């Protein structure tokens, strides 16, 4: 595998494109929105400059990494790719449409991966005529820093596809973990209910935002408190994942906290909107 396309130039997509390019792959970073694409490329350059400043990368390595990255607004560029990693909005209809197009555009050998945080790979795969070559590749935020990639086997994912993605994950200097296709996989099935419980703790007036986070940071050694982490992930994303868990398992223990719903309805989406449980400049 030499040439990769990452679709979606947001925080996750640009991070994924960066780690592939740093590991020697030629990468198309694709987004249909030109300004989002420009922002994604600028963000990568900023992080690479920081790596040079910190002595983790030479100026030559940075230049070579940037040369391996091609911005793309045309999905047809996927015809040159051995692997496509989709990181678009968490919406099943949108993802199925992207995968249907990719199935038509890409060569027969191309593997189609999704960075979905909770949607079923098996369902996404059903939009293609190659469900054996469709797989989940779930990176964690911030992608350049976090070591984990959850690799999700859809019901029809072949052993060959799984092995190819496990190998490539190791080449990115990340650690693969094999997961079956159930709502929230492992990471978000455990993480997001914990965040939801922290929001219930706030909602019921047990403690303040700062103190809830302090308990988990100092008491459990978490790098961020759950409310700070919710702001970092995006409150809309947290709510969406809780809804996927609630619907997928049909179990009331996954009901989203009404306070989370209120915040999302108010447009308080966390860091990206300037306000969530905390205020941001
Ligand atoms: N992108 C790239 N690099 C970043 C970054 C970002 N957004 N944020 C921080 N970093 C880098 C910094 O550059 C820094 O590197 P240097 O030391 O070389 O400068 C390093 O990470 C540490 O950063 P800081 O010193 O500023 O801050 P920190 O020590 O608190 O670490 C953190 C920041 C790595 C984000 C840490 O707080 C952390 O691990 N938080 C929890 C992250 C987490 O839980 N992620 C999973 C989210 S859930 C998810 O992704 C799944 C999903 O589907 C929702």
């Amino acid at each position: 595998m030499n040439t990769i396309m990452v679709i979606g130039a947001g925080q996750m997509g640009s991070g994924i494109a960066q780690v592939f390019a740093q590991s020697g792959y030629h990468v198309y970073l694709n987004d249909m929105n030109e300004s989002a694409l420009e922002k994604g490329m600028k963000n990568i350059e900023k992080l690479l400059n920081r790596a040079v400043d910190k002595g983790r990368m030479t100026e030559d390595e940075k230049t070579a990494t940037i040369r391996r990255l091609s911005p793309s607004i045309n999905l047809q560029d996927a015809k040159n790719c051995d692997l496509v990693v989709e990181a678009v909005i968490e919406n099943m209809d949108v993802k199925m449409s992207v995968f249907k197009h990719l199935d038509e555009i890409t060569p027969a050998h191309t593997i189609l991966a999704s960075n979905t945080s909770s949607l079923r790979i098996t369902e996404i795969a059903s939009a293609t005529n190659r469900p054996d070559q469709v797989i989940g590749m779930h990176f964690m935020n911030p992608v350049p820093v976090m070591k984990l990639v959850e690799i999700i086997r859809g019901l029809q994912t072949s052993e060959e596809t799984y092995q190819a993605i496990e190998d490539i994950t190791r080449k990115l200097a990340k650690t693969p973990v094999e997961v079956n296709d159930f709502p929230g996989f492992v990471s978000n099935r455990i993480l997001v209910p914990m965040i939801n419980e922290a929001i219930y703790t706030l909602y019921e007036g047990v403690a303040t935002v700062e103190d809830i986070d302090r308990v988990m940071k100092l008491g459990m050694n978490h790098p961020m408190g759950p409310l700070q982490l919710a702001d970092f992930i995006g409150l809309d994303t947290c709510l969406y994942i809780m809804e996927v868990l609630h619907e997928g398992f049909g179990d009331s223990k996954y009901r989203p906290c009404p306070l989370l719903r209120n915040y999302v309805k108010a447009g308080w989406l966390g860091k990206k909107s300037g306000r969530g449980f905390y205020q941001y400049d």
Side-chain angles (χ1 to χ4, degrees), residues 241-252:
I241 294 169
M242 281 312 292
E243 276 168 344
V244 167
L245 294 172
H246 198 198
E247 203 222 308
F249 291 113
D251 188 330
S252 65

Side-chain angles (χ1 to χ4, degrees), residues 4-10 12-18 26-33 36-44 68-74 77 81 85 87:
I4 317 288
M5 175 179 274
V6 179
I7 306 177
M12 294 304 286
S14 61
I16 296 167
Q18 180 187 335
H26 292 275
V27 183
Y28 288 96
L29 177 58
N30 174 279
D31 202 301
M32 55 188 188
N33 178 331
L37 190 55
E38 214 173 291
K39 198 171 154 203
M41 292 295 291
K42 280 216 175 93
N43 199 32
I44 295 175
R68 285 191 287 269
L69 274 161
S70 311
S72 152
I73 50 162
N74 191 349
D77 290 329
C81 296
V85 182

Side-chain angles (χ1 to χ4, degrees), residues 48-77:
L48 293 176
N49 281 331
R50 193 182 163 95
V52 172
D53 291 345
K54 289 260 172 175
R56 285 195 305 263
M57 183 182 264
T58 65
E59 192 65 43
D60 284 353
E61 283 165 345
K62 181 191 95 179
T63 309
T65 300
I66 290 172
R67 274 212 201 103
R68 285 191 287 269
L69 274 161
S70 311
S72 152
I73 50 162
N74 191 349
L75 202 61
Q76 292 294 330
D77 290 329

Side-chain angles (χ1 to χ4, degrees), residues 30 65 70 157 165 171 180 205 232 267 271:
N30 174 279
T65 300
S70 311
T157 307
I165 295 302
K171 289 192 183 119
N180 286 324
F232 175 69
K271 209 169 170 193

Side-chain angles (χ1 to χ4, degrees), residues 52 86-87 190 204 238:
V52 172
E86 165 277 314
I190 297 172
E204 290 167 9
C238 293

Side-chain angles (χ1 to χ4, degrees), residues 41-229:
M41 292 295 291
K42 280 216 175 93
N43 199 32
I44 295 175
E45 212 168 325
K46 198 175 96 192
L47 290 171
L48 293 176
N49 281 331
R50 193 182 163 95
V52 172
D53 291 345
K54 289 260 172 175
R56 285 195 305 263
M57 183 182 264
T58 65
E59 192 65 43
D60 284 353
E61 283 165 345
K62 181 191 95 179
T63 309
T65 300
I66 290 172
R67 274 212 201 103
R68 285 191 287 269
L69 274 161
S70 311
S72 152
I73 50 162
N74 191 349
L75 202 61
Q76 292 294 330
D77 290 329
K79 69 177 187 295
N80 306 312
C81 296
D82 307 302
L83 166 67
V84 181
V85 182
E86 165 277 314
V88 304
I89 185 174
E90 288 289 273
N91 174 301
M92 185 53 89
D93 292 342
V94 174
K95 289 199 193 281
M96 288 188 73
S97 157
V98 169
F99 273 72
K100 186 172 181 297
H101 283 115
L102 288 173
D103 193 32
E104 289 157 8
I105 296 166
T106 54
H109 74 274
T110 305
I111 293 179
L112 307 179
S114 175
N115 177 56
T116 180
S117 57
S118 56
L119 293 172
R120 280 184 206 258
I121 299 303
T122 306
E123 192 174 351
I124 297 173
S126 73
T128 73
N129 291 310
R130 59 178 98 181
D132 55 320
Q133 286 164 239
V134 176
I135 193 160
M137 216 180 168
H138 184 211
F139 291 82
M140 301 292 130
N141 190 13
V143 179
V145 180
M146 307 299 278
K147 291 285 171 222
L148 176 74
V149 179
E150 268 184 314
I151 303 183
I152 302 107
R153 282 182 189 267
L155 204 57
Q156 299 179 76
T157 307
S158 70
E159 192 52 38
E160 204 182 339
T161 300
Y162 178 81
Q163 283 307 329
I165 295 302
E166 194 183 275
D167 288 352
I168 211 167
T169 299
R170 290 192 205 284
K171 289 192 183 119
L172 301 177
K174 306 265 184 219
T175 303
V177 169
E178 183 182 349
V179 173
N180 286 324
D181 193 16
F182 284 90
F185 316 130
V186 171
S187 57
N188 284 329
R189 180 172 178 170
I190 297 172
L191 176 70
V192 184
M194 183 200 71
I195 288 174
N196 195 48
E197 199 58 35
I199 302 171
Y200 267 111
T201 310
L202 178 70
Y203 179 60
E204 290 167 9
V206 180
T208 63
V209 169
E210 290 77 9
D211 280 345
I212 291 167
D213 277 351
R214 203 168 280 134
V215 166
M216 298 306 284
K217 276 167 78 175
L218 301 184
M220 283 76 189
N221 247 1
H222 288 195
M224 283 177 167
L227 300 173
Q228 185 192 3
L229 184 55

